[in-house]
Amino acid sequence: MVMHILILTGGDLDRVFARSYIQTQKFDKVIAADKGLFYAEQIGIRPDFILGDFDSCPRETVKKFEKENIMVLPREKDDTDTGIAMEQAVRMGADKVTVLGSTGTRLDHVLGNMGQLVYALKHGVEAYMVDSHNRIRAVDRPLCIDKNEQFGNYISLIPVGTVTGVTLHGFYYPLNDDTLLFHETWGISNELTEETGIVEMKTGTLLVVESKD
Amino acid sequence: MVMHILILTGGDLDRVFARSYIQTQKFDKVIAADKGLFYAEQIGIRPDFILGDFDSCPRETVKKFEKENIMVLPREKDDTDTGIAMEQAVRMGADKVTVLGSTGTRLDHVLGNMGQLVYALKHGVEAYMVDSHNRIRAVDRPLCIDKNEQFGNYISLIPVGTVTGVTLHGFYYPLNDDTLLFHETWGISNELTEETGIVEMKTGTLLVVESKD
């Protein structure tokens, strides 16, 4: 059995997209971080754990959920809310984590949340950031993407620093044992040409961004 | 004399912000990439160079600018529009580049554009991505940030891979010869406590994100 945890966090959230996306998934536990608690209320999800200083969440929402015997996690000063939520998900034995509300206008938080995908990967957890335009994961071993399960038409590979020995099968722009560097753009906006695309690498970590226009 | 080039590219652009921001700067040349040409028209800027396949730019805008003796750069298949624009800026001898329209919903492009900041840095060019919430640059040597020239209240440091020997002076959350890794969140949402903050590092490249809520 795969244990799938949903983290709702405090970036921007397209509620219509979120409502429809969560219906395509089965979540075993829900963690709401800060304004993510407000989103939980709005999309009609009951969290199992809440955390944050809730400076960006209405006071009545916090009061309502606090009464419901939900475990409130401490917010440590040297970590972000999403970081604490991801640590908790790992601690709870998640095999898979989906983070909603992890994108938005504050690009430092968006990058920090991408860092949490890598943190999860290093703990053996398959984690995704999803919004209405993007589904993002971090990988450090071969990955298969089936066309019929793809999120949008584009697949971009962005190295966290440097990734060596990248070979692609079934993609429009080929790579063959190539090194990807963050400041090059070879990995951006690729497309599948076959039913299954395979991404292989030798060393390093890739952010895989599937996107819709 | 500093040669400052403006790149207008095809992400999202807050026109009100863009109009007011360009009035605070002096640009020597303007490069418009794809939908950036449409933005140039909208905010009343005449580009010196245009490039792209213009699939996301109205045909009449392209025709209008083509007639005006503007140099049209080829769009190579294995690079992004912003990538070609940045190469051109470097080729033209830019000392400083500001990129507007480089953020938006497609996070692969946003990351690719951050990669272009690193590409510029490696060519000795000080480059910035700016939108109404963020000003982002890449640095690999000590950086001073004056409080009165800051963009917003928050400063986040995100390592491209790994950055060693990070020491901060004048910041709320201190770092002292620490290593920053992409999957940790120590660098997110710091704040200046003194008039000038100094960021030092030994090896690696940092993305410095100044942001407004």
Side-chain angles (χ1 to χ4, degrees), chain B residues 66-199:
Chain B
E66 275 177 348
K67 274 188 221 143
E68 291 188 19
N69 203 23
I70 286 168
M71 189 174 289
V72 181
L73 302 168
R75 190 199 183 292
E76 291 138 55
K77 270 216 149 43
D78 60 350
D79 204 346
T80 63
D81 292 327
T82 313
I84 298 164
M86 189 63 87
E87 271 173 40
Q88 175 67 7
V90 168
R91 210 177 290 134
M92 287 162 69
D95 301 292
K96 185 174 173 183
V97 173
T98 294
V99 192
L100 295 177
S102 53
T103 60
T105 52
R106 280 281 300 272
L107 291 175
D108 54 343
H109 283 162
V110 175
L111 288 165
N113 293 341
M114 289 175 182
Q116 291 307 307
L117 300 180
V118 177
Y119 168 87
L121 178 72
K122 290 188 184 301
H123 288 81
V125 179
E126 187 183 327
Y128 297 84
M129 284 167 66
V130 187
D131 69 14
S132 55
H133 293 273
N134 309 275
R135 181 171 67 184
I136 310 173
R137 73 186 99 175
V139 294
D140 58 4
R141 62 186 67 187
L143 172 72
C144 291
I145 302 177
D146 284 339
K147 208 167 196 169
N148 59 8
E149 290 173 4
Q150 214 188 325
F151 190 90
N153 290 321
Y154 303 100
I155 301 175
S156 297
L157 307 174
I158 292 119
V160 177
T162 302
V163 177
T164 67
V166 182
T167 299
L168 303 180
H169 306 275
F171 281 82
Y172 185 76
Y173 297 108
L175 289 174
N176 186 20
D177 200 18
D178 287 306
T179 295
L180 288 183
L181 300 170
F182 183 71
H183 63 273
E184 292 169 343
T185 56
W186 294 350
I188 309 286
S189 275
N190 215 331
E191 292 177 51
L192 289 184
T193 51
E194 304 196 9
E195 284 312 301
T196 301
I198 303 170
V199 181

Side-chain angles (χ1 to χ4, degrees), chain A residues 79 105 108 134 156 185 213, chain B residues 79 105-106 108 134 156 185 213:
Chain A
D79 204 345
T105 52
D108 54 344
N134 309 275
S156 297
T185 56
D213 254 335
Chain B
D79 204 346
T105 52
R106 280 281 300 272
D108 54 343
N134 309 275
S156 297
T185 56
D213 253 336

Side-chain angles (χ1 to χ4, degrees), chain B residues 19-78:
Chain B
R19 272 196 206 96
S20 76
Y21 192 79
I22 58 177
Q23 275 164 16
T24 67
Q25 310 280 316
K26 189 194 156 295
F27 296 110
D28 298 293
K29 295 282 177 192
V30 178
I31 302 172
D34 213 278
K35 197 179 172 189
L37 181 60
F38 176 61
Y39 293 144
E41 187 180 33
Q42 289 211 319
I43 62 176
I45 279 200
R46 188 185 181 282
D48 300 286
F49 295 87
I50 68 177
L51 66 95
D53 54 14
F54 302 105
D55 55 351
S56 53
C57 185
R59 192 66 216 146
E60 53 273 29
T61 303
V62 181
K63 275 190 188 155
K64 178 184 141 185
F65 281 104
E66 275 177 348
K67 274 188 221 143
E68 291 188 19
N69 203 23
I70 286 168
M71 189 174 289
V72 181
L73 302 168
R75 190 199 183 292
E76 291 138 55
K77 270 216 149 43
D78 60 350

